[in-house]
Amino acid sequence: MSKRTFITFGVLVFVLAVVIPWLAFRGSGDANTGAEAVPAKLKEGQALFQTNCGRCHTLYAAGTTGNFGPDLDLLLAPTGPPEPGEAGEKQAKSTAERVLNAQREGVDSSMRGRMPPAILNPAQQKIVAEFVGAVAGEG
Ligand code: HEC
């Protein structure tokens, strides 16, 4: 084998054995694959949502894709661009209230399946509602 062929072959082996697997596997190994990174104060709500709501609801920020209930990004997305400052907080708050109410009372519009009330305890409901209020419509 000439030196040149040897080097070319070496480079090829390196690409196949090292670079391609590295490209394929980098970024995986994260326990929350698919979920968005959220501020620390929303983390608990995100985890609760993933475990208790995600099998029925799609929500981008939680990385869930359930489709028994409505896609909450579509249903709860703020109309128009995100509002800056206080207006944005107000918007998140009213969405959170709607989410809290849905969890407390359950939802049964008789149009699709129904959502059972009180899947979580009241304190957890509030934590999830704040999370969803803050993130719905992203992505
Ligand atoms: C067993 C499946 C299921 C689970 C689990 C579930 N939901 Fe639902 N959810 C539904 C269905 C179905 C609807 C729509 C019901 C209808 O339109 O009659 C719904 C509707 C909603 C709505 C819309 C209410 C509105 O104002 O229109 C919100 C918000 C919601 N769910 C939040 C949650 C949250 C938060 C959780 C986790 C605590 C959760 N859901 C868990 C099935 C589920």
Side-chain angles (χ1 to χ4, degrees):
M1 216 190 285
S2 77
K3 195 173 174 192
R4 200 192 162 116
T5 318
F6 187 74
I7 290 171
T8 311
F9 186 71
V11 168
L12 188 69
V13 166
F14 179 76
V15 167
L16 289 177
V18 179
V19 178
I20 291 178
W22 178 76
L23 285 174
F25 289 114
R26 119 194 114 131
S28 61
D30 178 353
N32 272 342
T33 37
E36 205 188 35
V38 293
K41 64 178 177 141
L42 297 179
K43 281 233 156 73
E44 193 183 347
Q46 185 185 44
L48 283 169
F49 189 95
Q50 285 167 338
T51 332
N52 300 287
C53 321
R55 65 196 156 97
C56 290
H57 290 289
T58 290
L59 186 69
Y60 175 80
T64 64
T65 53
N67 63 1
F68 182 72
D71 178 329
L72 296 183
D73 287 317
L74 294 179
L75 184 72
L76 305 173
T79 45
E83 307 258 9
E86 216 171 284
E89 258 166 49
K90 236 178 168 172
Q91 207 171 53
K93 209 164 160 218
S94 77
T95 304
E97 233 131 72
R98 182 171 168 181
V99 176
L100 185 59
N101 190 57
Q103 292 183 87
R104 200 186 293 134
E105 313 288 330
V107 193
D108 186 4
S109 68
S110 304
M111 283 169 62
R112 12 181 172 208
R114 62 180 262 286
M115 171 160 140
I119 297 170
L120 296 169
N121 72 41
Q124 293 171 318
Q125 289 172 19
K126 204 155 169 264
I127 293 167
V128 171
E130 269 158 31
F131 164 68
V132 177
V135 302
E138 285 178 9

